[in-house]
Coordinates of all heavy atoms in Angstrom, one line a residue:
S1121 N 0.8 -1.2 0.0 CA 0.0 0.0 0.0 C 0.8 1.3 0.0 O 0.3 2.3 0.3 CB -1.0 0.0 1.2 OG -1.9 -1.1 1.1
F1122 N 2.2 1.2 -0.3 CA 3.0 2.4 -0.5 C 2.7 3.0 -1.7 O 2.9 2.5 -2.8 CB 4.5 2.0 -0.3 CG 5.5 3.2 -0.5 CD1 5.2 4.3 0.1 CD2 6.6 3.0 -1.3 CE1 6.1 5.4 0.0 CE2 7.4 4.1 -1.4 CZ 7.2 5.2 -0.8
I1123 N 2.2 4.3 -1.7 CA 1.8 4.9 -2.8 C 2.2 6.4 -2.8 O 2.6 7.1 -1.8 CB 0.2 5.0 -3.0 CG1 -0.5 5.9 -2.0 CG2 -0.4 3.6 -2.9 CD1 -2.0 6.1 -2.2
F1124 N 2.3 7.0 -4.1 CA 2.5 8.4 -4.2 C 1.2 9.0 -4.8 O 0.4 8.3 -5.5 CB 3.6 8.9 -5.0 CG 3.5 8.5 -6.5 CD1 3.0 9.4 -7.4 CD2 3.9 7.3 -7.0 CE1 2.9 9.1 -8.7 CE2 3.9 7.0 -8.3 CZ 3.4 7.9 -9.2
H1125 N 0.8 10.3 -4.5 CA -0.5 10.8 -5.0 C -0.4 12.3 -4.9 O 0.5 13.0 -4.2 CB -1.6 10.3 -4.3 CG -1.7 10.6 -2.8 ND1 -2.2 11.7 -2.3 CD2 -1.3 9.9 -1.8 CE1 -2.1 11.8 -1.0 NE2 -1.6 10.6 -0.6
H1126 N -1.3 12.9 -5.6 CA -1.5 14.4 -5.6 C -2.8 14.8 -6.2 O -3.3 14.2 -7.1 CB -0.4 15.2 -6.3 CG -0.1 16.5 -5.6 ND1 -0.9 17.6 -5.7 CD2 1.0 16.8 -4.9 CE1 -0.4 18.6 -5.1 NE2 0.8 18.2 -4.5
G1127 N -3.5 15.7 -5.5 CA -4.8 16.2 -5.9 C -4.6 17.6 -6.5 O -3.6 18.2 -6.3
G1128 N -5.6 18.0 -7.3 CA -5.6 19.3 -7.9 C -6.9 20.0 -7.8 O -8.0 19.4 -8.0
S1129 N -7.0 21.2 -7.4 CA -8.3 22.0 -7.1 C -8.2 23.4 -7.6 O -7.7 24.3 -6.8 CB -8.6 21.8 -5.7 OG -9.8 22.5 -5.4
N1130 N -8.5 23.7 -8.9 CA -8.8 25.1 -9.3 C -10.3 25.4 -9.0 O -11.1 24.5 -8.7 CB -8.4 25.3 -10.7 CG -6.8 25.5 -10.8 OD1 -6.2 25.8 -9.8 ND2 -6.4 25.2 -12.0
N1131 N -10.8 26.6 -9.3 CA -12.2 26.9 -8.9 C -13.2 25.9 -9.5 O -14.1 25.5 -8.8 CB -12.5 28.3 -9.5 CG -11.8 29.4 -8.6 OD1 -11.2 29.1 -7.7 ND2 -12.0 30.6 -9.1
S1132 N -13.1 25.5 -10.8 CA -14.1 24.7 -11.4 C -13.6 23.3 -11.9 O -14.4 22.7 -12.6 CB -14.5 25.5 -12.7 OG -14.8 26.8 -12.3
Y1133 N -12.5 23.0 -11.5 CA -11.9 21.6 -11.9 C -11.4 20.9 -10.7 O -10.8 21.5 -9.8 CB -10.8 21.8 -12.9 CG -11.3 22.4 -14.2 CD1 -11.2 23.8 -14.3 CD2 -11.6 21.7 -15.3 CE1 -11.6 24.5 -15.6 CE2 -12.1 22.3 -16.5 CZ -12.0 23.7 -16.5 OH -12.5 24.4 -17.8
R1134 N -11.4 19.6 -10.6 CA -10.8 18.8 -9.6 C -10.1 17.6 -10.3 O -10.7 17.0 -11.3 CB -11.8 18.2 -8.6 CG -12.6 19.3 -7.9 CD -11.8 20.2 -6.9 NE -12.5 21.1 -6.1 CZ -12.8 22.3 -6.5 NH1 -12.4 22.8 -7.6 NH2 -13.6 23.1 -5.7
A1135 N -8.9 17.3 -9.8 CA -8.1 16.2 -10.5 C -7.5 15.4 -9.4 O -7.2 15.9 -8.2 CB -7.0 16.9 -11.4
W1136 N -7.0 14.2 -9.8 CA -6.4 13.3 -8.9 C -5.4 12.4 -9.7 O -5.8 11.9 -10.8 CB -7.4 12.4 -8.2 CG -6.8 11.4 -7.2 CD1 -6.7 10.0 -7.4 CD2 -6.3 11.6 -6.0 NE1 -6.1 9.5 -6.4 CE2 -5.9 10.4 -5.4 CE3 -6.1 12.7 -5.1 CZ2 -5.3 10.2 -4.1 CZ3 -5.6 12.5 -3.8 CH2 -5.2 11.3 -3.4
M1137 N -4.2 12.1 -9.1 CA -3.4 11.1 -9.7 C -2.7 10.3 -8.6 O -2.5 10.8 -7.4 CB -2.4 11.7 -10.6 CG -1.3 12.6 -9.9 SD 0.1 13.1 -10.9 CE 0.9 11.7 -11.0
E1138 N -2.4 9.0 -8.8 CA -1.8 8.2 -7.8 C -1.0 7.1 -8.4 O -1.4 6.6 -9.6 CB -2.7 7.6 -6.8 CG -3.8 6.6 -7.4 CD -4.7 6.0 -6.4 OE1 -5.5 6.8 -5.8 OE2 -4.6 4.9 -6.1
G1139 N 0.1 6.6 -7.8 CA 0.8 5.5 -8.3 C 1.1 4.5 -7.1 O 1.4 5.0 -6.1
H1140 N 1.0 3.3 -7.4 CA 1.2 2.3 -6.3 C 2.6 1.7 -6.6 O 2.9 0.9 -7.6 CB 0.1 1.2 -6.4 CG -1.2 1.7 -6.4 ND1 -2.3 0.9 -6.9 CD2 -1.7 2.9 -6.2 CE1 -3.4 1.6 -6.8 NE2 -3.1 2.8 -6.4
L1141 N 3.6 2.1 -5.8 CA 5.0 1.8 -6.1 C 5.4 0.3 -6.0 O 6.3 -0.1 -6.6 CB 5.8 2.7 -5.3 CG 5.7 4.2 -5.6 CD1 6.4 5.0 -4.6 CD2 6.3 4.4 -7.0
A1142 N 4.6 -0.4 -5.1 CA 5.0 -1.8 -5.0 C 4.5 -2.6 -6.1 O 5.2 -3.6 -6.4 CB 4.5 -2.3 -3.5
T1143 N 3.4 -2.3 -6.7 CA 2.7 -3.2 -7.7 C 2.8 -2.6 -9.1 O 2.5 -3.3 -10.0 CB 1.2 -3.3 -7.3 OG1 0.6 -2.0 -7.4 CG2 1.0 -3.9 -6.0
G1144 N 3.2 -1.2 -9.2 CA 3.1 -0.7 -10.5 C 1.8 -0.3 -11.0 O 1.7 0.1 -12.2
N1145 N 0.8 -0.2 -10.2 CA -0.5 0.2 -10.6 C -0.7 1.7 -10.4 O 0.0 2.3 -9.7 CB -1.6 -0.6 -9.9 CG -1.4 -2.1 -10.2 OD1 -1.1 -2.5 -11.2 ND2 -1.8 -2.9 -9.2
G1146 N -1.8 2.3 -11.0 CA -2.0 3.6 -10.8 C -3.4 4.2 -11.3 O -4.0 3.3 -12.0
L1147 N -3.7 5.4 -11.0 CA -5.1 5.9 -11.4 C -4.9 7.3 -11.6 O -4.2 8.1 -10.9 CB -6.0 5.6 -10.3 CG -7.4 6.1 -10.4 CD1 -8.2 5.4 -11.7 CD2 -8.2 5.8 -9.1
V1148 N -5.7 7.9 -12.6 CA -5.9 9.3 -12.9 C -7.3 9.6 -13.0 O -8.2 8.8 -13.6 CB -5.2 9.7 -14.2 CG1 -5.6 11.0 -14.7 CG2 -3.6 9.7 -14.0
I1149 N -7.8 10.7 -12.4 CA -9.2 11.1 -12.5 C -9.3 12.5 -12.8 O -8.7 13.4 -12.0 CB -10.0 10.8 -11.1 CG1 -9.8 9.3 -10.7 CG2 -11.4 11.2 -11.4 CD1 -10.4 9.0 -9.4
L1150 N -9.9 13.0 -13.8 CA -10.1 14.4 -14.2 C -11.5 14.7 -14.2 O -12.3 14.0 -14.8 CB -9.5 14.8 -15.5 CG -8.0 14.2 -15.7 CD1 -7.4 14.5 -17.1 CD2 -7.1 14.8 -14.6
T1151 N -11.9 15.9 -13.6 CA -13.4 16.3 -13.7 C -13.4 17.9 -14.0 O -12.5 18.6 -13.7 CB -14.0 16.1 -12.3 OG1 -13.6 17.0 -11.4 CG2 -13.7 14.7 -11.8
N1152 N -14.6 18.2 -14.6 CA -14.8 19.6 -14.9 C -15.9 20.3 -14.1 O -16.7 21.1 -14.6 CB -15.1 19.8 -16.4 CG -16.4 19.1 -16.9 OD1 -16.9 18.3 -16.2 ND2 -16.8 19.4 -18.0
G1153 N -16.0 19.9 -12.8 CA -16.9 20.5 -11.9 C -16.3 20.8 -10.5 O -15.4 20.0 -10.0
A1154 N -16.8 21.8 -9.9 CA -16.4 22.2 -8.6 C -16.5 21.2 -7.5 O -15.9 21.2 -6.4 CB -17.0 23.5 -8.2
N1155 N -17.5 20.2 -7.7 CA -17.8 19.1 -6.8 C -17.0 17.8 -7.2 O -17.2 16.7 -6.6 CB -19.2 18.8 -6.5 CG -20.0 20.0 -6.1 OD1 -19.5 20.7 -5.2 ND2 -21.2 20.2 -6.6

């Protein structure tokens, strides 16, 4: 479960990225809404 990650939050967009360093898996999520 050792991971790196970071979120992003401008007024009208929210974003997320993560990487699972032990397994090589990861995820990106991009949205165009304040929620």
